[in-house]
C-alpha cells in the first residue's frame, strides 16, 4: 500500500476511535499504534499530524498525543463578495487577441492524487519503491556539507552541473558547451520559459497531436494558439509539419522525439533530418522536450542522439530534467540553446525565478556523480520493462476491446484506442468508482480528437500485482460503460 493511502486510512481509524477518549485523555503511544495497525512510525507520525491540523488532538513533546478539548463553537466568518473579480480578471484591452483565463485542468489531471483505496494508473512519476530515496538522502546530506552550499548560486546554475547536462545533451561528440546550458527548476519550468521566449502572445505554436497536456496549458497560459500536427508510429508527420509551418507562419514547433507522451513514438532517423530541415527553412525554432531519455527500458537498445546534438545553427532549444527518473520533488532541469535565443531565455528565467536554489543543485550534482546513479538507472530500466510487459500482456488478454497498437521501449505509459463512439469521460469515471484512476485521452488533443483514448501509466504502480488488480477493476468499468 502506498504511504499516502496508509496515512489516510490510519487517520480515519483514529478519528473514529477518538470518541472513546475524554478531552485531554492520552492516546496510545506511537509504538503501540505501530504494533496494533502494522504500519511504520512515519505513517503514525503523519496520521497524528493530520489530526492535529484538524484540531482533534494535541501533541506534547516527550509526553505523547492527547484528545483535544472540545472547541467552543465559533461563529462562521461572513463570506465576502468576490464577484468584482470576474470583471477585473476578464476585461480585455482593444488589442488583446486571446482570452486571459488559464485552464490548468490537463495538468491537474496528471498531478491529482487518487482517493484512498484507488490504484494510480494515471500518474507520471515513479512509485516510491522505484525512487532512489537512499541515494537522494545521501546526496542531500553531502550537498549540505559542501562549502558555500547555502550561498547564492550563479544565475545560470552551478558550472559543474551545467557541464554535466551539456555532456548528456551533446553526446560524445561534445556538440554542446556548458555555457549554452541554463539550470532550471524542472522540465515544466524550462518548457514554459522556452515558450515565452520564442513566441509572442497570440502567435501560433505547432504541437504534436496528441501531446502532453502541460505543454498545451503552458502555451495557452501565455496567449499562444496551439496548432496540431498529427503523430504516427514514426513520430510527427513531417509532410504535415511543413504544410502547417507554411499555412500558419508559426515560428515554434514543440515536440518530444523520444518516447513521445502519450503515444510512445520515437521519431525515425529520416524524420529527424526532415524536422530540422523544414524548421530551418521556415526560420522556426524546435523546442525538443527530451523528458524520457532516462526512462528507456532494458530492451530499448541504443538511443538516438538528441536533436540538439545534430543542430549547430541554434534551431533546437532543448529541454530536459532529472525529475521523472528520480522524484517529483527533485525539480532540477536544463535548457540548452545557442545565439540570441539563449540570452532571451536567460533574461526570462532571471525575471521569473532569479535562480534554482543552490542546495537543490548541489544535491543533484552529488547524485549524478555518485556510484548509486548508474545502478539506479539500470534498476529503473529493468523495472519499467517488467511493468510495461505486465501491463501490455494484461491489456491484450483481459481488455481486448481497448486497442494497443504500439508498445514503446521507453517512457511510463501505454496509449489505448477505445471503440468508436465510446464515452471516455464516462469510462474514466466508472473506473474511479471501481477503484482505479486512469487518464482520458481528450486533454492530450488541442483540437477535436480523431477517436476516444485512454492513457495507462505503469510507473506509479507498486508492481505487477497492483497493475493486475488495476486491470481487473478497469474491466469492471468497461463492462459497465462499453457493453
Amino acid at each position: 500500500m502506498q504511504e499516502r493511502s496508509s496515512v489516510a486510512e490510519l487517520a480515519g481509524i483514529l478519528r473514529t476511535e477518538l470518541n472513546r477518549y475524554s478531552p485531554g485523555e492520552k492516546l496510545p503511544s506511537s509504538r503501540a499504534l505501530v504494533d496494533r495497525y502494522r504500519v511504520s512510525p512515519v505513517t503514525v507520525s503523519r496520521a497524528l499530524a493530520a489530526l492535529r491540523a484538524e484540531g482533534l488532538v494535541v501533541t506534547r513533546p516527550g509526553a505523547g498525543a492527547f484528545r483535544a478539548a472540545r472547541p467552543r463553537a465559533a461563529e462562521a466568518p461572513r463570506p465576502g463578495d468576490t464577484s468584482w473579480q470576474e470583471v477585473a480578471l476578464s476585461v480585455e484591452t482593444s488589442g488583446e487577441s486571446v482570452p486571459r483565463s488559464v485552464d490548468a485542468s490537463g495538468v491537474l489531471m496528471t498531478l491529482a492524487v487518487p482517493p484512498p483505496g484507488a490504484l494510480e494508473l494515471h500518474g507520471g512519476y515513479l512509485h516510491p519503491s522505484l525512487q532512489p530515496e537512499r541515494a537522494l538522502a545521501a546526496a542531500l546530506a553531502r550537498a549540505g556539507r559542501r562549502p558555500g552550499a547555502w550561498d547564492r548560486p550563479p544565475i545560470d546554475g552551478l558550472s559543474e552541473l551545467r557541464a554535466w547536462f551539456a555532456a548528456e545533451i551533446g553526446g560524445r561528440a561534445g556538440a554542446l558547451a556548458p555555457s549554452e546550458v541554463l539550470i532550471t527548476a524542472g522540465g515544466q519550468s524550462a518548457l514554459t520559459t522556452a515558450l515565452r521566449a520564442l513566441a509572442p502572445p497570440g502567435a501560433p505554436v505547432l504541437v504534436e497531436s496528441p501531446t502532453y497536456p502541460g505543454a498545451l496549458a503552458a502555451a495557452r497560459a501565455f496567449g499562444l494558439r496551439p496548432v496540431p500536427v498529427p503523430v504516427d508510429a514514426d513520430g510527427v508527420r513531417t509532410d504535415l509539419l511543413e504544410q502547417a509551418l507554411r499555412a500558419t507562419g508559426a515560428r515554434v514547433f514543440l515536440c518530444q522525439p523520444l518516447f513521445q507522451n502519450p503515444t510512445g513514438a520515437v521519431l525515425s532517423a529520416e524524420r529527424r533530418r526532415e524536422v530540422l530541415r523544414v524548421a530551418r527553412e521556415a526560420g522556426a525554432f524546435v523546442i525538443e522536450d527530451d523528458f524520457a531519455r532516462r526512462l528507456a527500458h532494458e530492451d530499448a537498445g541504443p538511443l538516438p542522439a538528441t536533436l540538439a546534438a545534430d543542430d549547430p545553427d541554434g534551431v533546437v532549444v532543448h529541454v530536459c530534467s532529472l525529475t521523472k527518473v528520480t522524484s517529483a520533488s527533485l525539480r532540477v532541469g536544463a535548457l540548452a540553446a545557442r545565439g540570441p535565443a539563449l540570452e532571451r531565455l536567460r533574461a526570462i528565467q532571471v525575471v521569473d525565478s532569479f535562480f534554482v536554489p543552490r542546495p537543490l543543485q548541489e544535491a543533484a550534482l552529488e547524485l549524478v556523480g555518485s556510484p548509486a546513479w548508474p545502478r539506479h538507472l539500470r534498476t529503473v530500466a529493468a523495472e519499467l520493462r517488467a511493468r510495461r510487459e505486465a501491463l501490455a500482456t494484461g491489456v491484450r488478454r483481459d481488455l481486448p476491446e481497448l486497442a494497443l497498437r504500439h508498445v514503446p521501449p521507453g517512457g511510463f505509459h501505454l496509449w489505448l484506442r477505445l471503440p468508436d463512439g465510446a464515452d471516455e469521460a464516462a469510462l474514466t469515471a466508472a473506473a474511479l468508482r471501481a477503484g482505479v484512476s486512469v487518464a482520458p485521452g481528450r486533454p492530450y488533443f488541442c483540437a477535436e480528437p480523431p477517436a476516444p483514448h485512454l492513457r495507462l501509466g505503469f510507473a506509479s504502480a507498486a508492481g505487477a500485482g497492483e497493475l493486475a488488480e488495476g486491470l481487473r477493476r478497469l474491466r469492471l468499468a468497461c463492462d459497465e460503460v462499453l457493453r
Side-chain angles (χ1 to χ4, degrees):
M1 180 180 294
Q2 297 187 30
E3 181 69 30
R4 58 173 173 260
S5 300
S6 300
V7 170
E9 291 180 10
L10 180 58
I13 293 171
L14 296 179
R15 196 178 291 110
T16 301
E17 292 194 350
L18 280 177
N19 293 327
R20 296 168 46 192
Y21 300 89
S22 303
E25 186 177 354
K26 185 177 180 181
L27 275 62
S29 68
S30 294
R31 180 174 297 179
L33 294 175
V34 166
D35 293 340
R36 181 184 303 177
Y37 296 109
R38 306 284 185 176
V39 294
S40 71
V42 172
T43 298
V44 170
S45 175
R46 291 178 177 175
L48 290 174
L51 297 184
R52 184 173 65 245
E54 296 172 17
L56 299 177
V57 302
V58 293
T59 55
R60 300 169 190 162
F66 301 80
R67 182 178 177 181
R70 292 188 179 91
R72 185 174 58 187
E75 183 180 350
R78 182 183 65 84
D81 180 6
T82 61
S83 57
W84 66 271
Q85 293 184 4
E86 295 183 41
V87 177
L89 292 173
S90 302
V91 171
E92 300 178 3
T93 63
S94 58
E96 199 167 8
S97 60
V98 291
R100 297 173 63 191
S101 60
V102 178
D103 181 5
S105 57
V107 181
L108 294 173
M109 175 194 71
T110 63
L111 297 177
V113 176
L119 303 180
E120 183 177 350
L121 298 190
H122 77 276
Y125 296 107
L126 297 180
H127 185 269
S129 64
L130 293 180
Q131 295 174 15
E133 290 187 348
R134 290 185 179 179
L136 282 168
L140 194 59
R142 292 194 301 270
R145 294 193 294 269
R146 283 190 170 203
W150 290 93
D151 290 349
R152 184 176 64 192
I155 295 296
D156 293 349
L158 298 180
S159 59
E160 301 98 321
L161 190 56
R162 295 168 70 199
W164 183 85
F165 272 112
E168 289 280 301
I169 299 166
R172 294 182 180 178
L176 201 68
S179 59
E180 296 170 325
V181 175
L182 305 175
I183 301 303
T184 68
Q188 184 71 12
S189 174
L191 187 61
T192 57
T193 296
L195 287 168
R196 283 185 60 191
L198 303 178
V205 56
L206 304 187
V207 298
E208 295 170 316
S209 182
T211 193
Y212 164 54
L216 299 177
R220 288 170 175 147
F222 299 134
L224 305 178
R225 295 186 290 110
V227 178
V229 183
V231 170
D232 63 19
D234 291 323
V236 67
R237 289 273 307 275
T238 49
D239 56 333
L240 299 179
L241 174 64
E242 191 166 18
Q243 292 176 24
L245 284 168
R246 283 199 304 265
T248 64
R251 292 295 177 263
V252 175
F253 169 51
L254 172 60
C255 64
Q256 296 174 327
L258 189 63
F259 311 133
Q260 196 259 357
N261 181 11
T263 66
V266 176
L267 190 63
S268 68
E270 179 181 356
R271 291 190 185 180
R272 286 168 56 86
R273 293 188 292 270
E274 282 295 290
V275 165
L276 294 177
R277 181 190 67 80
V278 300
R280 187 178 293 111
E281 291 179 357
F285 288 99
V286 175
I287 301 177
E288 178 185 21
D289 181 5
D290 197 30
F291 79 102
R293 184 163 296 270
R294 297 171 190 86
L295 297 174
H297 302 170
E298 195 175 41
D299 57 349
L303 300 182
T306 64
L307 293 181
D310 294 333
D311 166 47
D313 303 323
V315 171
V316 177
V317 172
H318 184 93
V319 172
C320 64
S321 85
L322 297 174
T323 305
K324 292 292 187 187
V325 76
T326 55
S327 162
S329 291
L330 186 66
R331 306 209 63 78
V332 174
L335 263 173
R338 294 183 171 94
L342 178 63
E343 298 307 314
R344 184 172 293 184
L345 291 164
R346 177 185 289 115
I348 289 177
Q349 176 159 296
V350 168
V351 169
D352 280 352
S353 57
F354 290 0
F355 45 74
V356 177
R358 184 164 189 149
L360 207 55
Q361 293 190 57
E362 298 278 10
L365 195 56
E366 288 282 353
L367 176 66
V368 299
S370 72
W373 179 244
R375 290 198 300 269
H376 170 64
L377 295 181
R378 289 194 297 269
T379 298
V380 169
E383 284 289 331
L384 290 183
R385 177 190 181 183
R387 294 175 187 212
R388 177 203 75 201
E389 287 300 299
L391 188 61
T393 299
V395 166
R396 286 170 169 160
R397 182 188 61 236
D398 302 328
L399 297 163
E401 66 270 51
L402 307 187
L404 175 57
R405 296 175 175 174
H406 176 62
V407 178
F412 48 80
H413 53 266
L414 299 179
W415 184 239
L416 308 177
R417 190 186 191 281
L418 302 183
D420 289 341
D423 187 337
E424 63 181 41
L427 181 56
T428 55
L432 196 58
R433 290 194 299 272
V436 59
S437 177
V438 298
R442 182 64 185 89
Y444 292 83
F445 294 92
C446 69
E448 293 78 7
H453 291 82
L454 284 184
R455 197 193 76 161
L456 297 186
F458 47 82
S460 54
E466 192 165 288
L467 291 172
E469 175 60 18
L471 290 180
R472 187 191 69 80
R473 298 180 186 186
L474 184 56
R475 176 71 268 169
L476 297 175
C478 288
D479 290 342
E480 175 186 338
V481 175
L482 302 181
R483 59 189 175 189

